[in-house]
Amino acid sequence: AQRVTQPEKLLSVFKGAPVELKCNYSYSGSPELFWYVQYSRQRLQLLLRHISRESIKGFTADLNKGETSFHLKKPFAQEEDSAMYYCALRAAGNMLTFGGGTRLMVKP
Amino acid sequence: DAGVTQSPTHLIKTRGQQVTLRCSPISGHKSVSWYQQVLGQGPQFIFQYYEKEERGRGNFPDRFSARQFPNYSSELNVNALLLGDSALYLCASSRTAGQGYGYTFGSGTRLTVV
């Protein structure tokens, strides 16, 4: 069975500081990893997926199969980055398994 | 282009009642999935449908059922509601049921069971 763990419920940083949201997963096969973001009063939206290796809104994430991690990083946090972030894994069954989420608060 | 639309947005039901939630996927998307998000937790997978066939089912009791229509819209039914069914129910659509495609989520239906 697959599992996604986001160890931090809340991450608080100052504007301009680097951000790293941690995500660890357990799955024996080749997973597909995603980051979803939910801004206040908005729907859950796709931020990144590892297969596209893109940078969205300055965020990047690298899949580390050895450490089974998919941490989300941004070098300089902005106040508008404040939101709930969910890491998700899609295995062969096509369902998404989500972590518990991390609330990012960027203080001015 | 309309996104994933869900109705109703909010619903209050009494224990033991039945509820039907509706979802219309993005035009051209043939796969619909349902997720339950309890307050303070990440979404949990309930069902996936593709081309009107069930492709996956999460660890939910038989009180939960769903179907997909020829126009790819979907309904989620929950019978004999319990207080613990109170949650945000999310619908997500995708072009196919395979890997390589991301899911687009709706705004959800907030169900409160009293």
Side-chain angles (χ1 to χ4, degrees):
Chain A
Q2 53 263 30
R3 186 183 177 92
V4 177
T5 303
Q6 295 179 248
E8 302 137 331
K9 286 278 188 187
L10 173 66
L11 184 63
S12 184
V13 301
F14 285 102
K15 176 182 172 182
V19 171
E20 183 179 50
L21 299 167
K22 291 184 168 53
C23 172
N24 292 92
Y25 68 91
S26 63
Y27 178 60
S28 55
S30 293
E32 195 176 356
L33 274 298
F34 301 85
W35 276 99
Y36 280 85
V37 60
Q38 190 168 32
Y39 300 102
S40 179
R41 300 184 187 281
Q42 294 187 28
R43 63 185 66 191
L44 201 60
Q45 51 188 288
L46 179 65
L47 182 63
L48 284 177
R49 45 190 182 130
H50 89 271
I51 59 172
S52 55
R53 301 186 63 81
E54 56 201 342
S55 174
I56 304 292
K57 298 184 179 182
F59 284 97
T60 59
D62 289 317
L63 178 60
N64 186 323
K65 292 186 178 180
E67 296 183 359
T68 60
S69 68
F70 188 56
H71 303 328
L72 184 68
K73 300 177 183 179
K74 185 170 184 177
F76 308 102
Q78 303 298 316
E79 289 183 67
E80 55 265 30
D81 296 329
S82 296
M84 279 295 295
Y85 291 81
Y86 293 97
C87 182
L89 177 156
R90 179 160 65 186
N94 293 317
M95 70 180 201
L96 286 175
T97 299
F98 284 86
T102 298
R103 179 169 296 282
L104 174 64
M105 291 180 57
V106 181
K107 297 176 285 188
Chain B
D1 185 23
V4 178
T5 56
Q6 294 187 243
S7 63
T9 54
H10 296 86
L11 206 51
I12 299 175
K13 289 286 190 178
T14 305
R15 273 179 300 175
Q17 284 189 313
Q18 176 264 341
V19 68
T20 298
L21 311 180
R22 294 176 176 83
C23 171
S24 293
I26 290 173
S27 177
H29 284 196
K30 298 181 178 180
S31 176
V32 169
S33 300
W34 288 94
Y35 289 80
Q36 181 196 64
Q37 187 174 21
V38 173
L39 198 61
Q41 298 181 20
Q44 256 196 302
F45 173 75
I46 310 176
F47 284 110
Q48 184 190 47
Y49 276 79
Y50 176 65
E51 291 281 14
K52 293 160 286 182
E53 290 188 3
E54 183 182 302
R55 287 296 189 94
R57 183 185 184 111
N59 189 22
F60 281 81
D62 291 343
R63 299 184 295 108
F64 288 76
S65 63
R67 55 181 175 167
Q68 187 177 33
F69 299 98
N71 66 353
Y72 303 111
S73 67
S74 177
E75 285 183 352
L76 175 70
N77 294 284
V78 187
N79 293 323
L81 285 167
L82 304 173
L83 295 180
D85 295 330
S86 295
L88 181 68
Y89 288 84
L90 298 170
C91 173
S93 78
S94 177
R95 288 192 180 278
T96 75
Q99 289 190 310
Y101 292 93
Y103 291 106
T104 302
F105 282 84
S107 298
T109 294
R110 171 78 58 192
L111 173 65
T112 303
V113 182
V114 297

